[in-house]
Amino acid sequence: MDVHLHHHHTHFRYEKMFPFLWAYAAMLGLAGFLLDSPRDILNGLITILLSEDALITDYVLIAGPGAALVNSAIVTAISICVLYVADDILNGMTLVVIGLMSGFSLFGKNFVNIWPILIGTWLYTRYRKEPLGAFANIGLMATALSPIVSYIALDNGWGHPVLGIAAGMLIGFVMPPLAAYTYRIQNGMNLYNVGFACGLLAFIFVPLMSSLGADPTTYYRWASGYNVAFSILLSGLCLLLILAGLFLDHRPVWAVWAGYRRLLQTSGRAASDYLRMFGHGPVMVNAGINGLIGTGLILAINGDLNGPTVGGILTIMGFSAFGKHIFNILPIMSGVILGGVVMHWSLSDPAVQLACLFCTTLAPVSGYFGWPYGVLAGFLHSSVVLYTGSPVAGMNLYNNGFSGGLVAIVLYPAIIAIARRRKPVLQEEDYFEQLEHDEPIVPPVPHEIVAEENEI
């Protein structure tokens, strides 16, 4: 009986998270209705559902800011329901998933095209006779490939809705084992592991589709002129998170701040569940500060706050519970900015603005090896990411995750072998183990290296 009670207690340690997640979804919807009329929102949602959604399809441009935010609210609500029904263990990864789902439903994911992939993941759990809770996070993140569902379902000259649903279910079915494999080969250096896995799958799907007669093209639908409205909304959200983290943690403010300072000493190497390491107060402060950094960066480079960039900022805020903090993201961002100075593209280009935000997938490189390597990683990523989207015609929404994986796979063994004179080894941690626990854990020793000494 005691064992059962202990399991129940640990399993539901963060169950109080649900009301806050629902409040976040409600805030997204409310913001949408503040920016547009109900009629415009309804018409915009129809436009979103009938869009092919390849990168970059800014819902703010094609449907209006109100419809984009309401779509985000609906997708976020669906995600919360999936996590609840799946009896998912709530931890830092939960906040990552909510950040991703709410952010990317401003440009690419909608409340219809995510379902076939989710159903596919559910079928995988039935086939394996395993609990859905262990895979719900993977299924939600795999919706990065939902543009494939929309494209096949809506392309009347080639595709069919039934084919689109079947393709989505296949994606959802194969993503869990693929993500578990790709996690190992990146050595925890790329936080967007599922993005890398989705990129590999897209490199198979898109050529296959093209060979069967499809002609997918990359889009650049990019809104501008919304900086003031989104600045106010994002700044308000970030300040609310910081204040809530400091004053609603049932701990003294100094204790929360001390926890945040300890958080800043971590490398961020996956898997770094900050919620379990430091509690919700420091994580909320971290998310608010990181969100302000992302917003400030876009404004500083004369960029545009719109669906994709706001999605990028929300993603950074989500990963503030799982690996990102000010000290390990700034060097990566600096590397992208350095690329803008010496390379033949501008920081104001849409794809580069996204790279400035999503490059932080490589934050562990900076936190683990030091800021100079972080600058190098960001510099390389800024160019690689401009070319990895074209072969898959923008069908992988987590394109930065794919290019970040490529950079990580090249950099990690090179830095370990050449600079640290050690022999790189694969991580032995089970990929799904990080998704199945919520009890507090002790933060690792900063910059602890898991590698074998070269034998002399």
Side-chain angles (χ1 to χ4, degrees):
M1 184 67 178
D2 290 340
V3 174
H4 177 73
L5 286 174
H6 175 72
H7 174 73
H8 185 273
H9 175 68
T10 55
H11 188 101
F12 295 101
R13 185 181 302 277
Y14 299 113
E15 66 178 337
K16 292 179 180 176
M17 191 189 297
F18 275 119
F20 291 100
L21 297 180
W22 281 115
Y24 173 60
M27 286 170 59
L28 289 169
L30 179 62
F33 281 100
L34 288 175
L35 292 175
D36 265 330
S37 68
R39 173 176 288 184
D40 287 341
I41 289 173
L42 182 61
N43 291 333
L45 288 174
I46 294 170
T47 302
I48 286 172
L49 295 182
L50 297 177
S51 168
E52 289 178 5
D53 296 329
L55 276 180
I56 303 171
T57 301
D58 186 349
Y59 290 165
V60 173
L61 177 69
I62 68 169
L69 286 166
V70 170
N71 179 64
S72 177
I74 297 171
V75 171
T76 303
I78 291 171
S79 305
I80 297 169
C81 290
V82 168
L83 293 172
Y84 182 80
V85 170
D87 200 21
D88 179 67
I89 305 280
L90 301 181
N91 54 29
M93 182 56 77
T94 310
L95 299 178
V96 168
V97 169
I98 295 300
L100 277 172
M101 297 303 288
S102 63
F104 279 88
S105 48
L106 295 172
F107 69 116
K109 298 182 183 183
N110 62 55
F111 56 89
V112 171
N113 68 8
I114 62 174
W115 281 109
I117 294 173
L118 294 175
I119 292 169
T121 301
W122 175 77
L123 290 173
Y124 176 80
T125 65
R126 297 297 87 200
Y127 174 75
R128 296 276 298 180
K129 295 183 173 60
E130 296 189 45
L132 178 58
F135 301 95
N137 290 294
I138 307 297
L140 288 165
M141 289 188 282
T143 55
L145 293 176
S146 53
I148 290 178
V149 176
S150 291
Y151 179 82
I152 297 176
L154 296 171
D155 191 342
N156 297 321
W158 177 79
H160 189 275
V162 174
L163 287 175
I165 293 168
M169 290 168 63
L170 179 60
I171 290 167
F173 194 87
V174 303
M175 190 52 65
L178 179 59
Y181 176 76
T182 57
Y183 180 71
R184 286 171 168 264
I185 62 175
Q186 296 170 89
N187 290 285
M189 291 293 133
N190 177 33
L191 292 176
Y192 305 166
N193 169 55
V194 175
F196 181 69
C198 287
L200 293 177
L201 202 53
F203 264 89
I204 294 174
F205 253 96
V206 175
L208 183 62
M209 288 160 51
S210 299
S211 299
L212 292 171
D215 185 25
T217 53
T218 306
Y219 291 100
Y220 285 97
R221 294 166 175 155
W222 187 263
S224 58
Y226 295 95
N227 284 13
V228 174
F230 282 124
S231 292
I232 294 170
L233 291 173
L234 285 168
S235 301
L237 175 61
C238 292
L239 293 174
L240 185 65
L241 283 169
I242 293 170
L243 293 173
L246 289 173
F247 297 105
L248 297 180
D249 193 349
H250 307 299
R251 287 189 288 173
V253 172
W254 65 263
V256 175
W257 190 252
Y260 174 63
R261 289 181 62 185
R262 288 201 312 278
L263 183 154
L264 295 178
Q265 295 176 347
T266 64
S267 69
R269 182 177 184 176
S272 294
D273 191 333
Y274 288 160
L275 185 63
R276 290 165 62 200
M277 290 179 186
F278 304 103
H280 62 269
V283 166
M284 292 169 79
V285 172
N286 191 38
I289 290 174
N290 289 351
L292 291 174
I293 290 171
T295 306
L297 175 66
I298 291 299
L299 296 176
I301 64 174
N302 199 28
D304 300 299
L305 287 173
N306 53 25
T309 54
V310 172
I313 293 164
L314 292 177
T315 299
I316 291 175
M317 293 170 70
F319 272 95
S320 300
F322 212 88
K324 295 184 183 180
H325 57 72
I326 182 172
F327 289 159
N328 67 7
I329 65 175
L330 284 180
I332 308 288
M333 291 174 165
S334 300
V336 177
I337 292 170
L338 177 63
V341 173
V342 302
M343 295 184 184
H344 295 286
W345 40 257
S346 168
L347 283 173
S348 60
D349 292 347
V352 181
Q353 289 186 48
L354 289 184
C356 283
L357 298 170
F358 288 111
C359 66
T360 51
T361 184
L362 292 167
V365 175
S366 173
Y368 194 67
F369 293 114
W371 69 264
Y373 292 106
V375 174
L376 173 64
F379 183 80
L380 295 174
H381 176 84
S382 65
S383 292
V384 173
V385 73
L386 298 181
Y387 290 90
T388 51
S390 300
V392 296
M395 292 294 175
N396 175 24
L397 294 176
Y398 303 165
N399 182 43
N400 278 266
F402 179 66
S403 60
L406 294 176
V407 173
I409 288 170
V410 172
L411 273 187
Y412 178 79
I415 296 172
I416 284 284
I418 298 169
R420 298 297 174 93
R421 300 188 179 183
R422 293 170 181 260
K423 185 168 61 176
V425 294
L426 290 176
Q427 283 189 293
E428 297 302 326
E429 292 91 348
D430 181 5
Y431 177 59
F432 296 110
E433 200 241 343
Q434 62 176 296
L435 307 178
E436 296 173 348
H437 293 274
D438 64 352
E439 67 277 5
I441 50 179
V442 178
V445 177
H447 311 298
E448 183 181 6
I449 292 181
V450 184
E452 297 173 353
E453 293 284 358
N454 270 333
E455 296 179 5
I456 298 175

